Amino acid sequence: MRLSGFSRFAGPLIALAYAAAWVMLWPTEQPYWVLPFGLRFGALLLTRSRNWLWILGAEIVASAFCEWRSGLPIGGAGFLLGDAPEPLMVAACLWLLRRAHLHASLSTPEDVARLLLSAMVTATVATAGNAAMMASMHPAAPVEMLGTTFGSDLLGNYLGVLLMVPAMVLVFRERPTQASMAELLLDGLLVMLPSLAILITLAEYSPQPQFARVLSLAPVLFFAFRHGWRGAGLAMLITSVGLNVTEDMIGRGAPTAAAHLFLAVAGTGTLMLGAATDALRRSSERVAQQNTHLAAANQRLDQLARQLRDAARGNLQAEESLRRHMAAELHDELGQNLTAIQTHLKLAQSRLGSAGLEDIGMSINGILGHMRKALHRMLDSLRPSVLDEFGLLRALDEGPIRDMLTAAGITYVTDLRGEPRLLDEDTLTAIYRVVQESATNVVRHSGASRMALRLRIGVRDSGPVAILDIRDNGTGLSAQPRPMRTDGGGRGLQGMSDRITALGGLFRIRPEPVGLHLRVLLRSTSAGSGIGNFPIPGQ
């Protein structure tokens, strides 16, 4: 009910407020400084078109009142031809411009450019209409005088829009926050008031007062950079008022056309600059928000990556634990049973010979030997016992890997440096498994005659680090792709990559003209007890 009641009286209230503002601004009108024109433009731009009749009617009444109070002769025909056409022309222009998507906003440089261009078009149409009316009412007036009047009216109308509309948009449409308003008022007290005092002093005592106008642009630029278009608009309005009041106080009369032209050009530039500053500030805020969101997303991704690495490491640990358990069970159960069978067979060998079954006993003994070798290979694939017995470096240099390569006629060259006790058990197992799998691939698929292994173990800032480098001179991946799965439980290159990635390491296959080159980097999660910091030996 309250809103409907207010909307019912919105037109009369707007008309009263507009008439009061018009009467207050009437005395300030000058040839080059027409604030009432800016008031009219801003009021028609900010209000709905259904309230325009109230505004135009209030202006006609306020104009008649001001002319009557000033003692000017008011004639019906002269008043209608002199005062009535301009508001109608401005209303018609704004109606067309609003249909072309003109809106009361200064938030972007495009909005400012559109508004100022509309102000120039409207001022030109209104000034041209007034010039035509003057020419029709005074046909004997010199053309030169009409041209001078046209120029002064055009400059005054445009400057009025430039000074009034940003302040009206600030008050009625795009009000700043309380914090921004407090900063604006504080800067007004600390910057604008001293600047006005300097302006008055220079205008009164300087032999060239145009220097004062140039210096008056400095606080306007400051407000444009610091407070955007709001600060630029208010600073221009205060500076312009201060310039006119100063000129009147020192007895020089109204400022010249050059002074107001300078204000118009400077105001246009600083208003554009303020809008660009606001747009840049909003863009920076959006970028900061996006960076915050990206940082949060990256943090979540890092957390997920850590969870995946922990899960993969847990799977590897569970797999190695299962392998160790199976190896122990096979060794304890099947190995002992094979030993028991061989023992009983040896005890029964003489009885089998006396019964003429010596060849059967030898055949069974051969089968048991093959079973023992197969069991040994299976236990070694499940859990390399040599790693527990010899340690990493000796296992890589003297263990089954060298035996396998030597048996295949492949030269095996090792260069092992560092302290394995720096590494945790998972990393030690991963290094041995990668070398073991690489040696198996070299023997079975590469046709290589040489395999070189280099291992470096040391401490960096991030902790213990192992760098593994494996090369062969075989066919390589390009000539003969190696299988991603091999016999004996291995999983080829993919298995190596998965194992290293699960431990948070890096697995790289480097292109070589001949053979295959593997590069592995592993960071251990914990260092051995009692071990100091060892640098990585020369690579």
Side-chain angles (χ1 to χ4, degrees):
M1 293 296 293
R2 292 181 179 179
L3 291 177
S4 61
F6 176 79
S7 61
R8 186 183 307 171
F9 296 103
L13 293 176
I14 292 174
L16 289 175
Y18 181 78
W22 185 273
V23 171
M24 292 175 60
L25 293 177
W26 178 271
T28 66
E29 185 171 350
Q30 301 173 10
Y32 310 109
W33 199 60
V34 186
L35 295 183
F37 187 90
L39 175 66
R40 179 199 301 132
F41 187 95
L44 294 177
L45 180 65
L46 291 169
T47 58
R48 298 180 178 179
S49 55
R50 65 187 180 188
N51 294 321
W52 282 10
L53 289 177
W54 289 98
I55 293 175
L56 297 177
E59 180 178 336
I60 292 174
V61 173
S63 298
F65 172 77
C66 291
E67 291 182 3
W68 170 79
R69 186 176 179 181
S70 301
L72 298 176
I74 303 177
F79 180 78
L80 292 177
L81 293 177
D83 294 339
E86 183 178 298
L88 297 177
M89 287 186 289
V90 172
C93 287
L94 280 175
W95 185 80
L96 293 174
L97 291 171
R98 287 178 64 166
R99 290 179 65 87
H101 306 292
L102 172 66
H103 52 280
S105 175
L106 297 170
S107 57
T108 65
E110 292 79 8
D111 292 338
V112 174
R114 189 182 298 112
L115 182 62
L116 295 180
L117 181 60
S118 301
M120 179 59 69
V121 170
T122 304
T124 302
V125 171
T127 305
N130 288 337
M133 290 293 180
M134 182 180 295
S136 63
M137 294 176 62
H138 305 282
V143 178
E144 184 176 334
M145 184 186 70
L146 293 176
T148 302
T149 304
F150 177 83
S152 63
D153 290 347
L154 178 61
L155 177 60
N157 292 339
Y158 176 76
L159 190 57
V161 175
L162 183 65
L163 297 176
M164 291 298 299
V165 172
M168 296 176 69
V169 172
L170 170 64
V171 173
F172 296 106
R173 281 293 177 87
E174 299 181 7
R175 286 187 290 270
T177 61
Q178 292 182 356
S180 299
M181 195 64 190
E183 292 181 359
L184 188 60
L185 292 176
L186 181 61
D187 287 337
L189 294 174
L190 298 179
V191 178
M192 187 55 68
L193 289 182
S195 300
L196 289 177
I198 295 173
L199 174 64
I200 294 173
T201 303
L202 290 176
E204 184 173 0
Y205 297 105
S206 176
Q208 294 181 337
Q210 63 270 20
F211 290 155
R213 292 194 295 268
V214 175
L215 292 176
S216 67
L217 186 60
V220 179
L221 291 174
F222 169 80
F223 274 82
F225 276 113
R226 182 167 174 80
H227 300 285
W229 68 266
R230 296 177 177 88
L234 291 178
M236 275 302 303
L237 179 60
I238 295 173
T239 301
S240 179
V241 172
L243 177 64
N244 283 270
V245 172
T246 300
E247 295 288 341
D248 186 66
M249 287 174 58
I250 63 179
R252 291 180 180 173
T256 62
H260 283 106
L261 182 61
F262 171 79
L263 288 176
V265 174
T268 301
T270 52
L271 200 60
M272 291 288 293
L273 177 62
T277 302
D278 282 340
L280 181 60
R281 188 176 293 116
R282 288 194 300 271
S283 177
S284 300
E285 291 175 354
R286 287 195 296 268
V287 170
Q289 292 176 356
Q290 291 176 358
N291 288 338
T292 302
H293 294 322
L294 288 176
N298 289 334
Q299 187 176 2
R300 289 194 295 271
L301 289 176
D302 291 340
Q303 183 179 2
L304 290 175
R306 286 194 298 270
Q307 292 176 355
L308 288 175
R309 285 196 298 267
D310 292 342
R313 181 182 288 270
N315 290 336
L316 280 179
Q317 293 174 347
E319 180 182 351
E320 290 297 331
S321 177
L322 181 61
R323 285 171 176 265
R324 189 180 296 107
H325 176 71
M326 292 178 62
E329 290 292 326
L330 289 174
H331 180 272
D332 293 341
E333 296 293 332
L334 187 56
Q336 291 179 6
N337 290 333
L338 289 175
T339 301
I341 292 174
Q342 283 185 324
T343 301
H344 285 81
L345 182 62
K346 184 177 292 186
L347 294 176
Q349 190 72 32
S350 58
R351 299 171 61 184
L352 290 173
S354 61
L357 300 176
E358 186 176 357
D359 56 340
I360 295 178
M362 294 178 61
S363 176
I364 295 174
N365 196 24
I367 294 173
L368 290 174
H370 285 296
M371 290 180 64
R372 185 176 291 280
K373 291 181 180 179
L375 177 62
H376 180 73
R377 288 195 302 270
M378 185 180 300
L379 292 176
D380 187 64
S381 65
L382 288 174
R383 175 64 186 174
S385 58
V386 66
L387 189 62
D388 298 327
E389 296 173 1
F390 292 171
L392 178 64
L393 299 186
R394 188 178 174 190
L396 293 176
D397 189 39
E398 304 175 5
I401 296 176
R402 180 176 290 278
D403 296 339
M404 178 178 59
L405 292 171
T406 303
I410 298 174
T411 302
Y412 181 46
V413 180
T414 60
D415 183 8
L416 313 175
R417 302 183 189 180
E419 178 52 63
R421 287 180 294 171
L422 291 170
L423 306 178
D424 60 88
E425 184 177 355
D426 294 335
T427 305
L428 293 173
T429 303
I431 293 173
Y432 186 85
R433 291 292 191 192
V434 169
V435 178
Q436 183 184 44
E437 190 67 42
S438 298
T440 302
N441 286 343
V442 168
V443 171
R444 296 182 178 180
H445 308 291
S446 71
S449 62
R450 184 178 186 273
M451 174 177 167
L453 169 66
R454 185 169 65 173
L455 176 64
R456 299 290 185 268
I457 301 174
V459 176
R460 285 184 177 174
D461 295 337
S462 57
V465 174
I467 301 175
L468 185 65
D469 190 278
I470 305 174
R471 306 187 189 203
D472 65 63
N473 61 350
T475 57
L477 289 177
S478 58
Q480 181 179 352
R482 305 190 180 189
M484 302 308 292
R485 188 172 185 86
T486 62
D487 299 334
R491 291 177 295 171
L493 297 176
Q494 186 63 49
M496 299 184 215
S497 177
D498 293 343
R499 180 180 292 273
I500 298 302
T501 304
L503 296 176
L506 297 177
F507 181 87
R508 294 290 182 267
I509 301 176
R510 294 190 172 182
E512 294 286 343
V514 178
L516 187 68
H517 181 191
L518 301 181
R519 186 82 168 174
V520 176
L521 172 65
L522 280 169
R523 295 181 176 88
S524 181
T525 57
S526 60
S529 59
I531 302 297
N533 287 340
F534 287 82
I536 296 179
Q539 301 179 26

